[in-house]
Amino acid sequence: MGVIDEVKQRIDIIEVIGEHVPLTKAGRTFRALCPFHSEKTPSFFVYPERQSWHCFGACNTGGDAFSFIMKKQGIDFGEALRLLAERVGITIPSKFEPEAGKDEREKLYQVNAVATQYFHNLLLNSPDGEKARNYLLSRGFSSKSVTEFQLGFSLNSWEALKQYLVEKGYIENELVTAGLLIEGDTGRTYDRFRNKLMFPIFDIRGRVTGFGARVFDDSLPKYLNSPQTLVFDKSSTLYGINLATDVIRQQDQAVIVEGYMDVITAHQNGFSNMVASMGTSLTEKQVSALKKLTRNIVLALDADAAGEEATLRAVGYENTLNAEVRVVILPQGKDPDDVIRESAQSWNSLLEQAIPVIDFTFNMVASGLDLTTAKDKSFAADRLLPIIMEIKDIVRQAHYLQKLAHLVKVSERSLETALGRIRTGRVKGRTRESNQGAVTHRLQPLLSSPVEEECLAWLLQYPELKIHCQGLLPEYFDNSENREIFLTWQDVNDLASLKEKLDVAVHEHLDSFLNKSLPPTNQTKRGDVIADCILRLKEKFLRSLAAKGGEALALGAESGGTAAEQAKQVEISVQLGEIFIQKSRRR
Ligand SMILES: [Zn+2]
């Protein structure tokens, strides 16, 4: 449970609002003269069961405890959240902390940029850099590539970089934080990178986040990276992404390899849609970074490294991506670097041989089995059925079920039965879990709204849907944090600025939308999906308004319900009727 939900669960809206407005109990609701506009008869209602409030008068607006405090005190969401959190003894990190963190990050980018320049200059101009220059020549790197990738050289010295940066006014501590210096046991600091070929690692915005370094001889380890820092996280880094972004978009395809050198050779030879995964197998974070650029990913795998685990994970990415991840296996003993150097033609034809990751897994499982024997047939089915079950797209799932049936020469029906058995096994497991969960999350329905969440997840994961949102109003979101995200999202053009603008306390909530798994769709269908979402949101909003208004009207009637209130109820019914018609047209 997120911190916002925790606050919500502990506060009582009657108490919060009651401190500002004298509330009178009326049936299941509380009412008062509206604190936001001047009036003679009370049209301000608070609903304890819904933990919400509404003014049916001139304001004609409402919300939860957060939005009340925001409006009443004229403060923003983050401030209201902190105020209410404090009441119930929950500490929320200061609003100013991300700013401070931002400064710190900026500092790291800056010192990394200075170090990049320093290493680059040593490579180009220093006498000691000659061996690095020769090495690059021997690998066939052009001077254009050296400049584009800002390659560099670090001197064979314990303190060369340290002295250079300290003279520039940097403090040793900062340099340790940046991962450029290492602090020894005695507290003495020294250069992390010595006598290496330096590869600055840029993020998608062209900022240097860290460094990769390579030895010139056969000593091990061959490669050395910056440690994890505030700005450098290996698992979310793709080497070369700063230079590949446009081409990946244009060609609607990204090729992922393992090595820095491969990327440089590829770019030099016109294959600029290539990035490297930093020597690890592809991670979820890397996939979601690429997802904004393309849905077509080709994994170029080493013949030896093409493990089952890597491909299994790729099936998961396919679901996240709603697309096909394809795999190409490099010729034994060769890097992409070698293949591209042979000829552009051989690289192209290799890429053409890329096969969908699931077909690849089929081949891998089947190889080495004797599929005429019962034992190996059942082995193959045991391995492949769970993978087939993970496929979300029903048509593709059916396709691979057929393929498996063909492979092991067993009827599709019996495989379907087996699949069903696996599925019920899992569902049972899940039900048990969720029953346990139910005890602790009993109040959840009050706090979360599935339609709001679904709608935001679509909008945030598919930025192109923004054009479909003219009819979507902030008040459709009952949850203040959802409304906050929606309002901020309306003003920005990309996720980075959305995150920057949003209070840090809302980030966790935002991430939950970005990570929410959505059913597979294609671009044309997505427009319909979001239109449907908006319609459901509007319906939810109107229904809740009608219910609240009904309660208010029932009370108002005793004290002579106003004509305006009744007219509003009629208006709501008319709008609900329109939604009903629109919905039936869609079906
Ligand atoms: Zn009002």
Side-chain angles (χ1 to χ4, degrees):
M1 182 163 60
V3 65
I4 299 174
D5 284 346
E6 217 175 306
V7 174
K8 278 193 171 179
Q9 224 171 57
R10 292 203 205 166
I11 52 170
D12 177 13
I13 196 164
I14 301 298
E15 237 179 78
V16 172
I17 297 185
E19 278 174 17
H20 299 270
V21 186
L23 294 169
T24 317
K25 193 165 192 321
R28 280 150 64 200
T29 64
F30 289 78
R31 68 188 304 186
L33 289 171
C34 178
F36 305 124
H37 80 278
S38 97
E39 61 178 4
K40 296 259 162 54
T41 45
S43 54
F44 180 86
F45 289 82
V46 186
Y47 307 87
E49 282 162 29
R50 297 167 193 269
Q51 288 287 302
S52 70
W53 60 274
H54 200 93
C55 166
F56 290 93
C59 307
N60 193 26
T61 184
D64 55 17
F66 295 98
S67 63
F68 179 85
I69 292 293
M70 285 162 76
K71 212 167 150 69
K72 188 79 187 82
Q73 316 240 52
I75 54 180
D76 66 24
F77 179 80
E79 287 165 326
L81 173 63
R82 281 177 189 82
L83 208 74
L84 292 176
E86 209 179 306
R87 278 177 76 105
V88 293
I90 294 173
T91 324
I92 289 178
S94 151
K95 180 179 178 173
F96 301 104
E97 252 168 39
E99 285 298 314
K102 204 173 148 198
D103 281 354
E104 221 171 300
R105 284 198 297 274
E106 283 305 325
K107 232 176 232 167
L108 293 187
Y109 290 131
Q110 200 202 4
V111 66
N112 282 341
V114 174
T116 301
Q117 268 309 311
Y118 170 79
F119 292 137
H120 188 58
N121 186 42
L122 283 177
L123 173 70
L124 296 183
N125 304 314
S126 73
D128 287 346
E130 188 170 1
K131 70 170 161 193
R133 292 194 289 275
N134 287 339
Y135 176 80
L136 290 171
L137 267 179
S138 76
R139 298 291 301 243
F141 288 155
S142 70
S143 55
K144 183 167 172 268
S145 295
V146 171
T147 311
E148 268 184 355
F149 287 88
Q150 288 285 294
L151 302 185
F153 169 66
S154 53
L155 293 170
N156 195 6
S157 145
W158 294 95
E159 299 209 313
L161 177 70
K162 174 176 156 184
Q163 275 170 12
Y164 176 79
L165 290 174
V166 167
E167 260 169 47
K168 291 226 153 210
Y170 290 97
I171 305 159
E172 278 177 52
N173 253 345
E174 287 172 3
L175 302 174
V176 172
T177 312
L180 292 167
L181 299 189
I182 293 175
E183 190 170 355
D185 294 336
T186 56
R188 228 183 117 78
T189 59
Y190 56 92
D191 288 5
R192 176 181 300 270
F193 302 108
R194 301 174 308 276
N195 194 28
K196 303 272 187 316
L197 183 60
M198 300 300 298
F199 300 84
I201 296 161
F202 295 84
D203 66 8
I204 199 163
R205 290 161 66 180
R207 300 173 298 197
V208 181
T209 56
F211 293 89
R214 190 194 194 282
V215 297
F216 291 100
D217 51 20
D218 288 329
S219 64
L220 290 170
K222 205 153 101 179
Y223 284 96
L224 179 70
N225 283 324
S226 290
Q228 173 123 2
T229 70
L230 263 182
V231 297
F232 184 65
D233 170 22
K234 226 166 95 170
S235 70
S236 61
T237 298
L238 289 162
Y239 182 73
I241 189 71
N242 57 314
L243 297 170
T245 309
D246 291 342
V247 183
I248 289 177
R249 252 199 214 110
Q250 275 162 27
Q251 301 184 353
D252 193 17
Q253 185 190 64
V255 179
I256 300 174
V257 295
E258 278 184 17
Y260 305 134
M261 300 283 213
D262 298 320
V263 172
I264 299 174
T265 304
H267 281 241
Q268 190 172 308
N269 286 280
F271 301 106
S272 305
N273 64 344
M274 194 194 274
V275 291
S277 64
M278 306 293 299
T280 53
S281 45
L282 196 60
T283 69
E284 183 101 35
K285 283 185 202 163
Q286 290 166 335
V287 173
S288 47
L290 280 175
K291 184 173 148 178
K292 288 161 202 146
L293 307 174
T294 183
R295 312 247 146 183
N296 297 307
I297 291 182
V298 178
L299 279 177
L301 295 177
D302 209 46
D304 308 317
E308 205 173 321
E309 195 216 330
T311 52
L312 265 181
R313 229 179 288 148
V315 178
Y317 301 145
E318 283 197 321
N319 286 329
T320 333
L321 273 171
N322 298 332
E324 224 166 41
V325 175
R326 286 179 302 143
V327 175
V328 66
I329 298 299
L330 294 156
Q332 191 73 40
K334 282 186 179 171
D335 294 332
D337 186 85
D338 302 319
V339 181
I340 293 170
R341 231 178 269 273
E342 265 165 32
S343 75
Q345 187 52 45
S346 22
W347 179 247
N348 271 330
S349 52
L350 194 67
L351 282 190
E352 276 162 25
Q353 291 163 31
I355 57 169
V357 63
I358 299 182
D359 293 276
F360 175 76
T361 314
F362 265 76
N363 296 349
M364 215 164 44
V365 171
S367 72
L369 291 182
D370 177 5
L371 289 171
T372 55
T373 67
K375 185 172 138 270
D376 282 7
K377 277 183 185 184
S378 100
F379 178 83
D382 283 351
R383 298 301 275 281
L384 293 169
L385 272 174
I387 297 171
I388 294 172
M389 206 193 70
E390 292 297 323
I391 305 173
K392 278 192 187 160
D393 185 303
I394 295 168
V395 177
R396 292 186 64 213
Q397 192 179 53
H399 169 84
Y400 285 106
L401 203 60
Q402 257 168 34
K403 184 171 171 161
L404 178 60
H406 188 78
L407 186 73
V408 295
K409 299 200 175 53
V410 167
S411 79
E412 258 177 77
R413 280 203 66 161
S414 35
L415 288 181
E416 264 166 24
T417 316
L419 199 61
R421 225 176 285 136
I422 300 178
R423 221 175 255 146
T424 22
R426 294 212 182 166
V427 170
K428 264 187 200 149
R430 252 178 230 152
T431 326
R432 220 173 295 133
E433 273 166 38
S434 60
N435 277 345
Q436 283 171 355
V439 181
T440 41
H441 295 293
R442 217 174 323 159
L443 285 169
Q444 210 60 4
L446 259 183
L447 303 172
S448 71
S449 158
V451 196
E452 290 181 16
E453 280 157 17
E454 196 189 327
C455 188
L456 284 173
W458 282 108
L459 292 181
L460 293 168
Q461 290 184 28
Y462 299 94
E464 69 270 18
L465 292 177
K466 202 166 191 169
I467 51 164
H468 297 278
C469 290
Q470 289 95 343
L472 184 54
L473 305 178
E475 54 260 41
Y476 291 178
F477 295 93
D478 273 334
N479 281 293
S480 287
E481 64 274 29
N482 293 345
R483 195 183 291 185
E484 179 73 7
I485 288 174
F486 176 73
L487 281 166
T488 316
W489 170 85
Q490 280 187 315
D491 291 340
V492 298
N493 291 317
D494 58 275
L495 278 179
S497 9
L498 176 64
K499 210 154 194 174
E500 216 161 282
K501 273 194 139 189
L502 274 178
D503 194 290
V504 66
V506 195
H507 285 183
E508 191 189 349
H509 195 59
L510 176 71
D511 287 340
S512 73
F513 296 130
L514 295 172
N515 298 327
K516 193 178 166 77
S517 62
L518 294 166
T521 52
N522 56 40
Q523 208 169 346
T524 32
K525 252 176 41 194
R526 240 170 269 141
D528 290 341
V529 168
I530 196 68
D532 185 61
C533 250
I534 294 173
L535 210 58
R536 280 188 291 144
L537 256 187
K538 186 175 181 185
E539 186 183 6
K540 176 180 83 81
F541 168 72
L542 288 172
R543 279 194 192 288
S544 133
L545 205 58
K548 286 175 185 170
E551 287 169 31
L553 202 59
L555 292 163
E558 293 161 17
S559 57
T562 65
E565 274 169 358
Q566 282 168 11
K568 237 169 255 157
Q569 282 301 107
V570 174
E571 170 62 21
I572 292 171
S573 319
V574 171
Q575 287 196 39
L576 274 170
E578 278 167 10
I579 287 182
F580 179 76
I581 293 167
Q582 282 180 46
K583 271 170 88 177
S584 41
R585 270 198 210 120
R586 278 179 182 283
R587 302 278 138 76

